[in-house]
Amino acid sequence: MSRLDDAWAYVDDRLDLERDRGFFGKAFPAEDSFLLGEVALFCFVVLALTGVFLGMFFEPSTSKVTYEGSVAQFQGQDMPEAFVSVLNITYDVPYGMFIRRLHHWAAHLFVASIGLHMLRVFFTGAYRNPREPNWVVGTGLAVLAMGAAYTGYALPFDEFASTATGIGYNLSNSIPVVGGLVGKVVFGGEFPSSATIPRLYFLHVLVIPVLITGLIVVHMAILLRQKHTERARDGNVETERGVVDADDDDTIVGLPAFPNQAAVSAVVFFLTLATLSLLAGFLPVHNVAAYGPNNPAGTPELIMPDWFLMWVYGFLKILPQWMAFTVPGTGVHVSTEFVGGIVLPTAVIGAVALWPFVDRHEEPTHFTADPLDRPWQTAVGVAAVVFVMVASIAGMNNLLADALGTSTGVVNPVLLVGIVVAPVVGGLLTYRVLRDRAGSARGSEVVADE
Ligand code: HEM
């Protein structure tokens, strides 16, 4: 008997785990790409733990206080308390710089792993009947994750972050009719007001994390209820609980949740933590000392959102002004900010959420599909990825123009055409290649039958 078996026998003896085999014996397919969801989950745990540490030293206030910390250039200056507290965390609180960087990198990995997890679910068709509800819950989680990162970005109240936050305020203000109210609720009124940082802090440390936790619980409950998907089998599989037919997709074959999958998950957790620690140890983050405190009179030369919001920034940068209009007879003005920053992103997120109802399946499917066998769905996925990539490049139009030795006036029309044409071309090419591939596979079957 191995040590693991001994440990199981001991715990089972005390807690009668076998009785709850339904959960502890739940099968987890041994697929590496299925671990991306777990990476997201563990990043969230790291974010919560490091966030608690940072919360003990951060001051959500823009009142001026005199800086007395160890950064020489700011000694004796009166600066916003939020900025001063982040300087203190970074340079004076023991382990503060490391924990702040850990929090930062965990936020990036959180969003990145969610994005990759979503792509895995999309391209393997794991959103199909009966998993549509979990796809919708997942879309909500993706939006909340970006919201958490955005509200956190603003908190140091340095010149760089507060300028980007000001753009968010202008966007919410651009919403026809209710814009002023939204600006008041989310940003505490005219940006930057003394209420902005407390309001964003409240959203960042309470409202959004509670919503994320709630949705993760729902996401996991649905997952446990519906079981995982599994890759189609090559033949019948012999398991400890009997032989499972190759085409029996009601029965999932995999590692039992406890102890095997629990051990795999522990490894994933520590690998995630190790990766984040390495990043935090070697790569600096958002250098508040270099940016300086918010300066209402100036605008920094380079303003940029985080990479995962760059696509929204891209819409804002390349949409031509003529798209703005006033609704006849109402006096309601629809600005390009509103179209690019609110309407288009909402349409993209709405399209993502509704996708499983476009690619509808009447019958439940528990096997994942090979993306190469789904020409039109994979083509749509490729088109969507290309669309987001071109939009993100558009968000960096000034850097692109500099690199090409030209002006944004020249690159913007090209990007505007590119954002429409490149996804269509990418999608059609993918469809063509996959359809031909399916055709030639059918052809070789015919030959084999002769
Ligand atoms: C905080 C964010 C998220 C966390 C922590 C999370 C976590 C997980 C975990 C641990 C699993 C099981 C393992 C796996 O398949 O990877 C899973 C499955 C699933 N997730 Fe997520 N997820 C998140 C966001 C999303 C998003 C953005 C989507 C899609 C829009 C999504 C859709 C799904 C679906 C449909 C399944 C079932 C897939 C299957 O059974 O193969 N999730 N999620």
Side-chain angles (χ1 to χ4, degrees):
M1 214 189 214
S2 72
R3 283 200 176 170
L4 213 54
D5 290 334
D6 281 347
W8 171 262
Y10 177 84
V11 182
D12 181 38
D13 189 44
R14 300 303 184 282
L15 303 177
D16 196 10
L17 297 184
E18 282 292 336
R19 193 191 55 202
D20 287 324
R21 215 185 155 96
F23 172 72
F24 291 110
K26 179 185 157 15
F28 280 73
E31 286 272 354
D32 294 345
S33 66
F34 284 23
L35 299 175
L36 284 166
E38 293 195 16
V39 173
L41 193 61
F42 297 143
C43 283
F44 185 61
V45 172
V46 174
L47 281 168
L49 295 176
T50 49
V52 169
F53 178 93
L54 296 175
M56 302 207 180
F57 303 98
F58 178 74
E59 292 297 338
S61 151
T62 49
S63 308
K64 293 274 171 81
V65 292
T66 308
Y67 180 67
E68 290 167 352
S70 53
V71 182
Q73 83 202 72
F74 297 120
Q75 276 288 341
Q77 281 190 37
D78 288 342
M79 300 188 294
E81 210 172 355
F83 180 76
V84 166
S85 66
V86 176
L87 277 184
N88 286 338
I89 290 172
T90 314
Y91 298 103
D92 293 301
V93 171
Y95 303 104
M97 182 186 282
F98 179 70
I99 303 284
R100 187 174 158 235
R101 288 184 184 183
L102 207 53
H103 192 73
H104 180 101
W105 287 117
H108 283 268
L109 190 61
F110 185 48
V111 180
S113 54
I114 289 176
L116 292 175
H117 168 59
M118 195 168 172
L119 290 176
R120 169 323 255 173
V121 171
F122 179 90
F123 282 108
T124 61
Y127 54 79
R128 292 172 297 178
N129 182 352
R131 293 178 179 75
E132 307 94 328
N134 229 7
W135 171 269
V136 176
V137 172
T139 311
L141 280 167
V143 173
L144 285 170
M146 289 191 276
Y150 177 78
T151 49
Y153 191 80
L155 297 182
F157 207 54
D158 59 276
E159 177 64 345
F160 193 91
S162 56
T163 310
T165 313
I167 295 177
Y169 172 73
N170 290 339
L171 285 186
S172 62
N173 233 7
S174 74
I175 305 174
V177 189
V178 294
L181 181 67
V182 176
K184 276 201 185 94
V185 172
V186 180
F187 294 89
E190 186 75 28
F191 180 84
S193 85
S194 58
T196 307
I197 293 297
R199 188 62 52 90
L200 294 179
Y201 184 61
F202 172 61
L203 291 171
H204 183 72
V205 302
L206 188 74
V207 179
I208 299 179
V210 165
L211 289 175
I212 291 182
T213 308
L215 282 194
I216 288 181
V217 169
V218 175
H219 200 57
M220 293 300 101
I222 298 178
L223 178 80
L224 287 179
R225 190 88 209 133
Q226 297 181 330
K227 301 187 201 150
H228 278 76
T229 49
E230 187 192 339
R231 188 202 291 247
R233 301 176 197 121
D234 293 333
N236 295 352
V237 186
E238 225 170 286
T239 76
E240 278 182 16
R241 298 176 201 162
V243 174
V244 180
D245 273 4
D247 50 6
D248 171 10
D249 79 347
D250 274 341
T251 311
I252 299 299
V253 174
L255 303 173
F258 196 86
N260 308 48
Q261 178 61 31
V264 173
S265 299
V267 170
V268 175
F269 174 72
F270 287 115
L271 278 180
T272 306
L273 196 58
T275 307
L276 292 174
S277 303
L278 270 178
L279 288 169
F282 291 102
L283 297 182
V285 298
H286 198 89
N287 187 346
V288 278
Y291 300 133
N294 168 249
N295 170 13
T299 309
E301 247 176 52
L302 190 66
I303 310 163
M304 272 214 210
D306 278 326
W307 57 270
F308 46 81
L309 287 175
M310 199 61 85
W311 58 285
V312 178
Y313 200 41
F315 294 154
L316 286 173
K317 283 195 162 178
I318 59 169
L319 281 193
Q321 282 304 324
W322 55 256
M323 290 190 81
F325 63 95
T326 301
V327 182
T330 62
V332 173
H333 184 65
V334 176
S335 62
T336 41
E337 278 91 0
F338 176 60
V339 177
I342 308 282
V343 176
L344 282 182
T346 309
V348 169
I349 292 161
V352 170
L354 293 178
W355 171 254
F357 309 99
V358 175
D359 182 21
R360 265 177 61 133
H361 293 261
E362 294 301 334
E363 293 299 318
T365 321
H366 301 294
F367 283 143
T368 52
D370 182 340
L372 302 182
D373 294 337
R374 303 182 347 122
W376 76 268
Q377 291 94 335
T378 301
V380 170
V382 169
V385 171
V386 173
F387 177 75
V388 171
M389 280 166 65
V390 179
S392 301
I393 294 172
M396 298 177 278
N397 63 348
N398 45 342
L399 299 182
L400 181 68
D402 281 352
L404 299 176
T406 179
S407 69
T408 51
V410 174
V411 293
N412 279 3
V414 179
L415 286 165
L416 193 60
V417 173
I419 207 168
V420 179
V421 173
V424 174
V425 172
L428 285 178
L429 269 178
T430 309
Y431 180 73
R432 187 67 205 271
V433 170
L434 295 187
R435 201 200 48 189
D436 289 353
R437 179 183 171 276
S440 61
R442 266 200 304 279
S444 58
E445 269 168 32
V446 174
V447 173
D449 278 350
E450 277 177 353

